[in-house]
Every structure is written in structure tokens, then in C-alpha cells.
Amino acid sequence: MFKSVAAKMITSTTTMEFTSFRKPTPTTSIPLIRFPNPNRLNRIPIRIRLRRFSSSSSCSLSASSAASYENESVSLGHLTRSDFPILHQKVNEKKLVYLDNAATSQKPSVVLTALKNYYESYNANVHRGVHKLSKLATDDYELARKKVASFINAGDPCEIVFTKNATEAINLVAYSWGLSNLRRGDEIILTVAEHHSAMVPWQLVAQKSGAVLRFASLTEDEVPDAGAILEMMSKKTKLVVVHHVSNILCAQHISFNEFLTNQTRAEPELTQRYEVENSKARGEFITEYFCFRWCSGGGEMISDVYLDHSTYADPPSRFEAGTPAIGEAIGLGAAIDYLSGIGMQKIHDYEMELADYLYESLQSVPNLRIYGPKPSWTVQRAALCSFNVENIQSTDLATLLDQLHGVAIRSGHHCAQPLHRHLGINASARASLYFYNTKDDVDYFIEALKDTITFFSAIRKMQTLHLGRTLWRRRDDQLLFLSMNGLLLWPDTACEIVREAWGVYESKSGMPRKK
């Protein structure tokens, strides 16, 4: 859980790893297909093997820079914050407190420098030129591939495929493997908590292939029901799609080792067949798997092109048609150096500390509901919380947190509408942390949240005190206010009305004015 959260893409390039591109070799390990969504796919049926991040990933940071992260008297957030220029600004005349990292994490200076250096010094296409700039670009692009392979302990850099994002990577697997292997009546098991990117591609493939989607629900603790998944497993099951960490429920609950052990006990004959089929020669696996029906066609991915047909390059080039995101891949290499210089275990430990602190702090807010399981010895929450406050729309809450306090959180359905419907809500607010955040950020967020809630309470109480008939209404997810004369006001004007109303309420009620 924590490894993928801590190593969240710092550039827009996503990597997708296919194993087994090499010649067959004697091995007892199971071939894998890995992509950024932590679901681990394999040749039908599925077998999953977990790998640890490399402890020896290459790192270009100086010894003094690496040593600077070893100061145990100062939090990792305080030590690394200076590496992220975007965090040092004001938003709406308030210091920026960025708590939307589950959607987009910020880039450290070393990544920005790598991007700037590429575009200023050797911006050229890769693999296609003999001139100096092209060679430099190709070298750094392929070096980034090697860094990714080392970082995730891949067997060979050729197993790494760069895609523009995780959604594209999942679609590549769904349309290629799915359309080549799924037949009418085959079953795909998912959970109601899946992200749209891990659900919609399989819906589309199921419509084309005639496969059936089955969904496991949640337990009373609001985690995917592993027992229900096991009960659904049968000889018709061709794929199981389960998130690694929910972007709303915030916890990894299913242990894949335990899942496979329980599945072995439940279907020993089926499991034996899985092992036999997956132990076939890797060459046969590759021949079958890479007869893809769907992939992008064009330059780079071909071997020879004729008028009536084409032959295709070996992976990874086969899956990187056209001009790739060269600068982003180079930036990703720099990001891996940066993360490795800090240490993934150090990042994990600090994020778990922040996760507990955020959860405990939010519990102090009245009338607030946090979604997902409570932290325990068996459940580790990621460093994020999705929540709702009674009688306040999540988007209204996020709007005022931004405009009045400079706090950036996410609001909406977070690309998980089925899960929201299952929870009986339309949307939720979400605060998500990264290792450059601090407990001070959490404290500021909690105070801002309480002030914002009090703001809305004051508006409601105004009607009771006969101070006006200002009401708030919603249009296009914007916070609007309707005054007595029927004027519809946009958020900036609305906030001025709220400030004025708040002052009137304070003077009438005798409340001390907050600084």
C-alpha cells in the first residue's frame, strides 16, 4: 500500500511493466504484467507475486543532500518542503496549504531542472536521429527506463513501457489482453470501490466480448469484502480487479498472499490448473499475449511497413507509437533519483505518521463523517481522508476553504461514482497528504475547516435573528448566493456578502471577532 502511495508519479509520465520479454529460462516464478494501478494481471488465470522496491536504486543526489534528510529532530515535511517551489506562494492572500496530493503531487526542483535542461539543451526526438541532440535525448530517455526498472526491481529495462498516464496503461491491457482472451460467459470480478479507470475499460471490453462483470461489496468496516470475492471465484473467472489503496476509503484491506492461500483452499483443482498453465514456457506466453488486437499504430512501433500490411517492433517500442513524452520520462528518472535519495522506507514511515494525525484531527470536528475503516493494528490508512460535514455540500466547503483560507482540497465524486452511490452520498471532500506536508499543515487545515463550518452556521442563524434573507443555492458546482432582490452572485461577491453578514452576526450576538 504505502510504497505506491509514497512513490506516486511526480511527473505526468506513467510506466507500465510487462515481464517475460526474454527467452524462456528455467524458473519457478510466475510471469507478471504490472501497470501503475496496483492490480496485478497475469496470463489467464491470474497469479500474483509481490516485489519490494529496490533498496539500491540509482541516485544522483549528493551525499550532503542525502544526509540533510537524516535530521531526526525535524520532520521530513519540514526538511523537504524547500525542494518544492510551488508550495511557497500565497493563494487569495493566504499561504498555500496544498492537500490535494491524491489527485496531483507537486514536482521537486530537481525534476523541474531536468525538464528545463532537456527542453533548453537537447530537445529532439528519440531513436530516430544520428545527430548529437537526438543521441543525447535517446540516452537520457533510455536511462530513465533503466531507473524505473531498478526502482521496482524489474528483471530487464525492456519490461518497462512508458504511457501517458495510468488510465492509458489500463486500457492497453484491457483492449489487448481482454479482447484477445475473454469470451462470452467469462467473468471479471471487481469491487464497488474501484476507480473509474479500473472499471470503465472492463465495462467496454465486456460489452464487446460478452464477458460478465461481477462486483463484490464492502464489509461493515467499509473495506472490500475479500470473502465475497472468494465466493465469486469459479472456473468462469478470468480476471480479478482489486485496488491497492482506495482513493476514498483510504486503506488496503485485502492481503493478496492471504487471498491466494484462501483461494487455494477453496478451489485446489482450479489453483493447480492456474499453476500448470502459468508455468509454461515464457516464449509461448509472449507469443500469445502480444498478439494484441488493440494498440496505437504509427511510427516507432513498426519493424517494416508495406502497402497491405506491417510487421511490428519488439516491446517496449511496440507499445510506444509516435513521439513519446520524452521530457516527462527524463523528469521521471530525476524523480526516482530524488525519492531514492530520501529513502522509500523513510517516506512510508512519515506518511503513516501523518495519516494517523490527520484522522485523529478530523475526529475532533463536530458533525463530520470520515469514510473508510478506522486505523488499527491490522488496518493502515493511507495519508488521506474523505469526509462530509452535516448539512454542507462538499464543493461549498472546498470553495470557501480555498477562497478564505488558501487550503486546497478535493471535492466531488473522485472518479468513484459507484462507491459514492453505495455509501448513499453524491460527493465527498478529500484531504490528501504527501511527505512534504507537515502536522502544521494539518493543524491549519483543521482550524480553517472549523471556521468554515462556523461560517455556514452563521448564515443559517442569520435567518433566526432576522438579519436578512440571504440564502445559498447551487449551480454548476459553484457556491452562489441569492439575495432578497433576486440577484445571483458569483463566489467572490458571495464571499463578500458572507463576510459582511458574519460581521453583523457577531455584533448582534456579542461574539468576539476572530483575527
Side-chain angles (χ1 to χ4, degrees):
M1 173 189 71
F2 55 85
K3 299 292 187 182
S4 62
V5 174
K8 187 178 186 299
M9 291 299 172
I10 297 187
T11 68
S12 60
T13 298
T14 300
T15 60
M16 180 176 182
E17 182 190 359
F18 297 95
T19 64
S20 309
F21 293 161
R22 299 177 300 282
K23 295 180 179 180
T25 55
T27 179
T28 58
S29 60
I30 306 301
L32 300 172
I33 303 167
R34 288 201 299 276
F35 52 95
N37 181 292
N39 305 319
R40 307 272 176 116
L41 306 181
N42 202 348
R43 185 177 188 271
I44 305 175
I46 303 159
R47 183 82 175 194
I48 301 172
R49 179 183 59 185
L50 302 180
R51 290 182 179 181
R52 296 181 60 84
F53 280 89
S54 171
S55 59
S56 59
S57 299
S58 60
C59 176
S60 62
L61 296 179
S62 65
S64 59
S65 298
S68 65
Y69 301 121
E70 299 298 329
N71 188 347
E72 296 183 358
S73 63
V74 182
S75 76
L76 184 59
H78 286 99
L79 289 173
T80 58
R81 189 175 180 83
S82 60
D83 296 336
F84 297 83
I86 196 172
L87 301 178
H88 305 283
Q89 62 174 297
K90 289 189 175 182
V91 174
N92 297 318
E93 301 181 353
K94 301 289 184 181
K95 70 172 184 177
L96 171 64
V97 177
Y98 186 78
L99 305 179
D100 192 22
N101 296 283
T104 298
S105 59
Q106 300 303 338
K107 283 72 175 169
S109 297
V110 292
V111 171
L112 301 178
T113 300
L115 288 168
K116 183 173 183 290
N117 185 43
Y118 164 71
Y119 284 111
E120 288 185 351
S121 303
Y122 55 102
N123 177 28
N125 216 322
V126 294
H127 305 142
R128 305 179 191 179
V130 295
H131 58 81
K132 180 67 173 180
L133 297 188
S134 180
K135 289 181 178 179
L136 290 174
T138 299
D139 288 345
D140 277 7
Y141 183 76
E142 292 304 326
L143 178 60
R145 198 188 305 275
K146 293 177 181 178
K147 290 179 180 180
V148 173
S150 175
F151 189 67
I152 65 174
N153 282 343
D156 191 296
C158 290
E159 298 173 1
I160 305 301
V161 174
F162 289 124
T163 61
K164 68 181 180 183
N165 53 40
T167 299
E168 183 183 49
I170 297 172
N171 274 272
L172 176 58
V173 172
Y175 278 87
S176 55
W177 175 87
L179 292 181
S180 299
N181 292 277
L182 293 175
R183 301 290 182 267
R184 182 170 300 278
D186 289 345
E187 294 181 352
I188 303 173
I189 299 176
L190 308 93
T191 77
V192 297
E194 299 310 313
H195 191 277
H196 291 169
S197 64
M199 185 180 295
V200 176
W202 299 112
Q203 290 177 342
L204 296 173
V205 168
Q207 292 170 5
K208 294 177 180 294
S209 65
V212 178
L213 301 184
R214 302 188 65 190
F215 292 89
S217 187
L218 306 179
T219 66
E220 294 181 355
D221 296 327
E222 294 182 341
V223 293
D225 191 338
I229 295 177
L230 289 173
E231 291 179 358
M232 291 181 183
M233 293 284 289
S234 70
K235 293 183 179 181
K236 294 182 179 180
T237 304
K238 303 302 181 183
L239 180 70
V240 178
V241 179
V242 182
H243 57 268
H244 184 44
V245 179
S246 169
N247 67 330
I248 296 175
L249 304 176
C250 314
Q252 176 193 21
H253 182 71
I254 296 178
S255 168
F256 286 112
N257 289 332
E258 179 182 357
F259 177 83
L260 289 174
T261 300
N262 290 338
Q263 194 271 336
T264 300
R265 295 170 182 168
E267 290 281 357
E269 180 181 350
L270 187 61
T271 302
Q272 185 178 11
R273 182 168 61 86
Y274 283 10
E275 293 174 348
V276 170
E277 291 192 4
N278 279 296
S279 63
K280 291 181 180 179
R282 290 188 173 190
E284 178 183 347
F285 171 77
I286 294 305
T287 300
E288 294 180 7
Y289 187 84
F290 292 112
C291 292
F292 283 159
R293 294 186 183 182
W294 179 89
C295 64
S296 296
E300 187 68 19
M301 55 80 65
I302 53 87
S303 177
D304 292 293
V305 177
Y306 303 90
L307 292 179
D308 57 348
H309 73 282
S310 298
T311 58
Y312 306 110
D314 293 331
S317 296
R318 181 178 300 188
F319 307 104
E320 295 179 359
T323 299
I326 303 167
E328 286 79 356
I330 293 172
L332 177 60
I336 288 174
D337 288 343
Y338 178 78
L339 291 173
S340 301
I342 298 172
M344 296 305 296
Q345 188 63 45
K346 182 183 291 293
I347 292 174
H348 159 247
D349 293 343
Y350 180 66
E351 284 196 359
M352 292 303 96
E353 180 182 344
L354 283 180
D356 292 341
Y357 190 76
L358 175 63
Y359 187 90
E360 293 170 1
S361 298
L362 279 172
Q363 284 189 311
S364 69
V365 180
N367 303 318
L368 185 144
R369 159 87 151 87
I370 304 174
Y371 299 102
K374 296 180 179 179
S376 67
W377 289 105
T378 58
V379 175
Q380 278 190 327
R381 290 182 61 96
L384 63 103
C385 284
S386 297
F387 62 92
N388 270 316
V389 178
E390 186 177 353
N391 297 324
I392 301 178
Q393 293 284 348
S394 61
T395 302
D396 295 347
L397 198 65
T399 299
L400 287 192
L401 280 171
D402 173 65
Q403 295 193 356
L404 299 183
H405 300 281
V407 177
I409 67 169
R410 178 72 42 167
S411 62
H413 54 66
H414 314 304
C415 292
Q417 287 180 314
L419 176 56
H420 277 81
R421 293 191 188 98
H422 181 84
L423 295 172
I425 56 178
N426 294 322
S428 62
R430 184 183 69 192
S432 53
L433 312 178
Y434 202 27
F435 64 83
Y436 46 62
N437 287 120
T438 66
K439 291 182 179 180
D440 293 337
D441 291 338
V442 177
D443 292 339
Y444 184 88
F445 161 60
I446 296 300
E447 288 303 313
L449 180 60
K450 290 179 179 178
D451 284 346
T452 303
I453 294 172
T454 305
F455 235 16
F456 283 101
S457 298
I459 295 298
R460 288 193 292 270
K461 291 179 181 178
M462 281 174 52
Q463 300 177 40
T464 304
L465 296 174
H466 304 289
L467 298 179
R469 292 179 55 81
T470 302
L471 306 173
W472 64 86
R473 293 187 178 178
R474 301 183 54 74
R475 174 180 292 179
D476 297 332
D477 290 329
Q478 292 280 352
L479 180 66
L480 307 177
F481 286 79
L482 187 66
S483 62
M484 290 181 62
N485 58 8
L487 292 177
L488 203 59
L489 305 175
W490 292 102
D492 290 342
T493 307
C495 288
E496 291 300 324
I497 291 178
V498 174
R499 291 189 183 98
E500 181 179 355
W502 178 257
V504 173
Y505 172 67
E506 288 177 332
S507 63
K508 293 291 184 179
S509 62
M511 290 179 58
R513 188 168 185 82
K514 293 187 178 182
K515 301 296 183 183

